[in-house]
Amino acid sequence: PLGLNVPAAAATAGSGGLSAAAAIAAFWSQVVETQKTQTRREATLPIEATADAALVLEYMNSCADLCRSDACSVTLPATEQATADAAIRVVVEPTAASSLEPPPSPAREAAASTTREAALEQMMTWFTGALMACEIGDIDADADDAATDDETFVALGRSLLHTKSSEVTFAPTVQEMHADLWRLVAESDYLLDGSGGAALFVAPAFTNFEIFDDFSLLVRSGLRYLVSPKIEVHVYHPLARSERLRAPMPTVHIYLDNEDLFADGDGTLASLLGSM
């Protein structure tokens, strides 16, 4: 048995258990429900044979540290127990009443009025501009700079062309943002089976750059640690330090490349231009 309120997406995992991504999504679901209801939650998450229960548990412990500052505590088993059972029992308890709603913010209020479609349209318009800004084939540019621009254009173009799914979330807490992102990953088979593709995660209301930066670092380590070391995680934010990463919406673009993605090309600049 999966226990209480394990997300449906997680329950569909094969091999008699959950993928690492589905287990992390289920973990965050328990945390979010505890925050919302202020009641104790627990679930036993069976881990599929192809995943390493010890590694999944280690990442969950990192996630649990984030919960301690937000009025809930998470109890997880010892590594030996999780490995022997090929399952992780998660117990989440409220430790104090906490407000889910962050303080009012003009930027957040403006983001809340944005529709899912408008958010995606803004990001795709921005990505198109970023591609256009790459000075490809510039004969007057330094050879190294020209090669870098060409490579940037191809890499960004490939990831955009092969974006297969997206999620726009207006979740009010960091924990719920984690739950939404990991649910997207768990439902993106092309990331889990190695066939390749990209998932776009847009969070218009995630206006605090420092917290978003911490969020993205934790997500990046989990994706590369538990899903694939080849996964590329590109992070954008209106307040990003680098101008080239300063997008209109807080966004995480998750991409796993695969040479078979270009059935009619070789992944070069010429192939990409032909595809576009």
Side-chain angles (χ1 to χ4, degrees):
L2 294 181
L4 300 176
N5 298 303
V6 176
T12 61
S15 305
L18 307 178
S19 68
I24 300 302
F27 167 90
W28 282 117
S29 177
Q30 297 301 307
V31 171
V32 169
E33 287 304 313
T34 295
Q35 286 185 316
K36 287 181 176 179
T37 64
Q38 287 294 295
T39 58
R40 182 179 189 273
R41 312 279 297 185
E42 65 177 275
T44 298
L45 310 177
I47 308 302
E48 67 180 7
T50 56
D52 187 327
L55 292 182
V56 175
L57 177 63
E58 184 176 342
Y59 185 72
M60 283 185 183
N61 274 307
S62 297
C63 296
D65 290 338
L66 179 63
C67 302
R68 294 191 181 99
S69 62
D70 285 284
C72 65
S73 65
V74 179
T75 302
L76 297 166
T79 301
E80 295 77 9
Q81 188 67 51
T83 302
D85 296 344
I88 299 173
R89 183 169 179 265
V90 179
V91 180
V92 188
E93 298 183 87
T95 55
S98 63
S99 171
L100 286 178
E101 295 298 331
S105 159
R108 192 179 297 109
E109 290 172 4
S113 65
T114 303
T115 65
R116 180 183 187 279
E117 292 74 18
L120 288 175
E121 183 177 347
Q122 283 191 53
M123 281 308 302
M124 293 315 296
T125 299
W126 183 83
F127 278 128
T128 300
L131 280 172
M132 297 293 289
C134 294
E135 297 178 356
I136 56 174
D138 185 354
I139 59 175
D140 296 323
D142 177 87
D144 290 339
D145 291 341
T148 299
D149 274 342
D150 289 357
E151 291 169 1
T152 299
F153 180 85
V154 171
L156 179 58
R158 279 172 66 89
S159 64
L160 292 175
L161 283 172
H162 297 294
T163 297
K164 299 179 179 180
S165 55
S166 62
E167 172 76 16
V168 177
T169 179
F170 297 91
T173 66
V174 176
Q175 290 78 15
E176 198 165 346
M177 294 282 187
H178 279 285
D180 288 346
L181 184 142
W182 280 100
R183 183 175 61 252
L184 171 65
V185 173
E187 293 173 349
S188 301
D189 292 341
Y190 53 88
L191 295 175
L192 308 183
D193 63 17
S195 57
L200 188 67
F201 180 81
V202 183
F206 210 153
T207 54
N208 187 307
F209 175 69
E210 285 73 22
I211 297 177
F212 179 79
D213 195 35
D214 291 341
F215 166 87
S216 63
L217 289 173
L218 183 58
V219 164
R220 179 182 280 112
S221 65
L223 289 170
R224 291 180 174 170
Y225 200 44
L226 299 176
V227 179
S228 170
K230 297 181 180 180
I231 277 184
E232 300 173 18
V233 183
H234 304 285
V235 179
Y236 308 92
H237 195 278
L239 301 178
R241 298 178 183 89
S242 171
E243 185 177 354
R244 68 182 182 84
L245 302 177
R246 214 168 288 153
M249 300 279 176
T251 298
V252 179
H253 198 200
I254 304 163
Y255 178 50
L256 179 63
D257 203 353
N258 185 314
E259 60 183 12
D260 293 332
L261 286 174
F262 276 90
D264 299 320
D266 56 10
T268 62
L269 178 60
S271 296
L272 179 57
L273 289 172
S275 301
M276 298 180 71

